[in-house]
Amino acid sequence: MRDQGEYLFTSESVSEGHPDKVADRLSDTVLDTFLAADPYARVACETLVTTNRVVLAGEVRGPDSITKEELAHNARMAIRDIGYDQSGFSWKTAQIEVLLHAQSSDIAQGVDAGGNKDEGAGDQGIMFGYACRETDALMPAPLYYSHLILRRISEMRRNHDKLVEGLQPDAKSQVTLRYVDGKPVGATSVVVSTQHDLRTADGAVLSQARIKEMLRPIVQSSLPDGWMCPDHEFYVNPTGQFIIGGPDGDCGLTGRKIIVDTYGGAAPHGGGAFSGKDPTKVDRSAAYVCRYLAKNVVASGLADRCTLQLSYAIGVSQPLSLYVDLHGTGRDVDLTRLEKTLRELVNLTPRGIREHLHLNRPIYVPTSAYGHFGRTPDPELGTFTWEKTDLADQLRSAFGR
């Protein structure tokens, strides 16, 4: 984004009940099932969801004790947790097919360590990380607030809050912020679309106007004081109603919300999706370490913005390149020296990344909705380790700060 002048920038989010996010959740459920049984299991699971039907496909390498029946049961419980018990998509009645097969030996031989060969990358590719000072989470503000609005609605729905009675799991949000000289100053428009029942339990019709009144205080409290957009720019279910939703309303596939998952379009994305992939897949693990390094650079005070890129070749352990851009916000930082310092602080091989960030654990279901970045690490669960800023002191020291 520009650092000068006045402009608008928009990002969107989708809830855990959005069809694509249901697919992401189920793919990560399969992954966590395998990692709970074997930390070194290999999983590349793709999921399709549609009207009362789920298809789990892809490749795995893990314990034979994990059966198709167990995977189908865990998927069913995930659908239940999201909140789907509708005529067109229900945890009770959905048909679940498990079509996972053994990992290709051609891929495995490139990834596996052996002899003098370290573990190689599971595929070629480029990965990006980004951090900025627009929010306390060091995330771009439009995406941060888009996520926050939907998370609050979801929490209220799950807690059976009367204020959101009749709302269903499928929802989307979109926030447009006005920037002045690179800093967000307020929302110019907000869009929220949420699936809903025709009537509440007491028989009241859930009209567009009523849902707007439900959501206005949630949106307003999610934004900083004074940031709420004008009422005529607050759009709720703009088509008029949203009763048919979830996988019954639209087919969902794993990996179709990669911009929602990352930086909301404020930074580059390498193209690879995350959900359903074990940490030997650098699409996921290297994108996590890119965020980790970029966040620590900003947290250290060396810069206000940081974009970082890594690249890999399949079967090769060391990254082919490391690139850092501070967007002109660096404070007397030599970029070549910074890149060298980051390589010294973290082993950027696939093995080094997963060991440094403790990725060989069943920690991925919580990442499947509301973004993989800008979240709070949980020491007990071991989730979101890439959001720690434990390198900041070392970076400051390396540059004499």
Side-chain angles (χ1 to χ4, degrees), residues 162 164-168 195-201 206 214:
K162 292 286 288 183
V164 295
E165 182 186 355
L167 299 191
Q168 291 293 328
Q195 185 187 14
H196 60 92
D197 295 332
L198 179 61
R199 299 176 183 273
T200 63
L206 275 173
M214 278 182 177

Side-chain angles (χ1 to χ4, degrees), residues 156-306:
M156 293 174 73
R157 177 180 61 82
R158 287 170 171 274
N159 291 329
H160 306 289
D161 193 313
K162 292 286 288 183
L163 291 176
V164 295
E165 182 186 355
L167 299 191
Q168 291 293 328
D170 192 0
K172 302 179 76 171
S173 65
Q174 184 172 285
V175 174
T176 300
L177 298 184
R178 183 168 67 93
Y179 283 73
V180 177
D181 294 335
K183 296 181 179 180
V185 297
T188 61
S189 65
V190 176
V191 183
V192 182
S193 296
T194 177
Q195 185 187 14
H196 60 92
D197 295 332
L198 179 61
R199 299 176 183 273
T200 63
D202 61 6
V205 174
L206 275 173
S207 65
Q208 186 180 23
R210 178 165 180 156
I211 295 172
K212 186 173 183 177
E213 290 308 305
M214 278 182 177
L215 297 181
R216 181 182 286 105
I218 301 173
V219 172
Q220 190 159 354
S221 65
S222 299
L223 297 171
D225 290 344
W227 278 35
M228 184 63 181
C229 64
D231 190 67
H232 68 275
E233 294 288 349
F234 178 37
Y235 302 95
V236 173
N237 288 358
T239 61
Q241 71 175 26
F242 184 5
I243 294 173
I244 301 171
D248 186 34
D250 192 11
C251 179
L253 295 170
T254 302
R256 287 207 303 192
K257 288 293 177 283
I258 57 177
I259 300 303
V260 170
D261 286 341
T262 53
Y263 305 104
H269 187 286
F274 301 155
S275 289
K277 296 177 181 177
D278 73 77
T280 67
K281 279 71 172 177
V282 284
D283 278 344
R284 184 171 215 161
S285 56
Y288 287 177
V289 84
C290 283
R291 162 64 178 175
Y292 175 65
L293 295 176
K295 185 175 184 181
N296 274 272
V297 168
V298 173
S300 72
L302 296 180
D304 291 334
R305 289 172 61 198
C306 178

Side-chain angles (χ1 to χ4, degrees), residues 35-343:
L35 291 180
D38 177 2
Y40 302 101
R42 301 278 172 77
V43 178
C45 177
E46 309 287 348
T47 301
L48 176 148
V49 293
T50 186
T51 302
N52 245 2
R53 193 172 186 87
V54 173
V55 178
L56 306 175
E59 57 178 35
V60 297
R61 188 176 78 185
D64 293 336
S65 59
I66 298 176
T67 64
K68 290 184 177 182
E69 290 74 21
E70 179 183 0
L71 294 171
H73 171 77
N74 290 352
R76 199 175 297 280
M77 292 302 99
I79 296 168
R80 180 184 184 182
D81 182 66
I82 293 169
Y84 276 114
D85 187 13
Q86 302 171 3
S87 60
F89 194 72
S90 170
W91 68 274
K92 298 174 184 175
T93 58
Q95 299 180 52
I96 301 177
E97 284 189 84
V98 180
L99 304 178
L100 298 163
H101 60 81
Q103 183 184 48
S104 162
S105 59
D106 291 345
I107 293 175
Q109 70 180 353
V111 175
D112 291 343
N116 294 323
K117 176 184 173 299
D118 197 0
E119 178 182 303
D123 200 353
Q124 71 175 46
I126 57 174
M127 301 83 204
F128 288 93
Y130 181 71
C132 63
R133 292 199 175 277
E134 293 181 16
T135 62
D136 289 342
L138 304 185
M139 286 290 288
L143 180 66
Y144 178 84
Y145 294 116
S146 294
H147 284 324
L148 184 58
I149 289 165
L150 293 185
R151 290 187 71 181
R152 289 188 171 176
I153 294 171
S154 173
E155 288 166 4
M156 293 174 73
R157 177 180 61 82
R158 287 170 171 274
N159 291 329
H160 306 289
D161 193 313
K162 292 286 288 183
L163 291 176
V164 295
E165 182 186 355
L167 299 191
Q168 291 293 328
D170 192 0
K172 302 179 76 171
S173 65
Q174 184 172 285
V175 174
T176 300
L177 298 184
R178 183 168 67 93
Y179 283 73
V180 177
D181 294 335
K183 296 181 179 180
V185 297
T188 61
S189 65
V190 176
V191 183
V192 182
S193 296
T194 177
Q195 185 187 14
H196 60 92
D197 295 332
L198 179 61
R199 299 176 183 273
T200 63
D202 61 6
V205 174
L206 275 173
S207 65
Q208 186 180 23
R210 178 165 180 156
I211 295 172
K212 186 173 183 177
E213 290 308 305
M214 278 182 177
L215 297 181
R216 181 182 286 105
I218 301 173
V219 172
Q220 190 159 354
S221 65
S222 299
L223 297 171
D225 290 344
W227 278 35
M228 184 63 181
C229 64
D231 190 67
H232 68 275
E233 294 288 349
F234 178 37
Y235 302 95
V236 173
N237 288 358
T239 61
Q241 71 175 26
F242 184 5
I243 294 173
I244 301 171
D248 186 34
D250 192 11
C251 179
L253 295 170
T254 302
R256 287 207 303 192
K257 288 293 177 283
I258 57 177
I259 300 303
V260 170
D261 286 341
T262 53
Y263 305 104
H269 187 286
F274 301 155
S275 289
K277 296 177 181 177
D278 73 77
T280 67
K281 279 71 172 177
V282 284
D283 278 344
R284 184 171 215 161
S285 56
Y288 287 177
V289 84
C290 283
R291 162 64 178 175
Y292 175 65
L293 295 176
K295 185 175 184 181
N296 274 272
V297 168
V298 173
S300 72
L302 296 180
D304 291 334
R305 289 172 61 198
C306 178
T307 297
L308 190 145
Q309 184 204 58
L310 286 171
S311 68
Y312 291 84
I314 189 169
V316 178
S317 58
Q318 290 291 340
L320 306 184
S321 64
L322 167 63
Y323 166 82
V324 177
D325 183 359
L326 302 182
H327 304 278
T329 69
R331 297 178 175 86
D332 297 320
V333 178
D334 179 85
L335 291 177
T336 301
R337 182 181 170 196
L338 177 58
E339 291 165 355
K340 181 176 183 293
T341 301
L342 293 174
R343 281 182 177 268

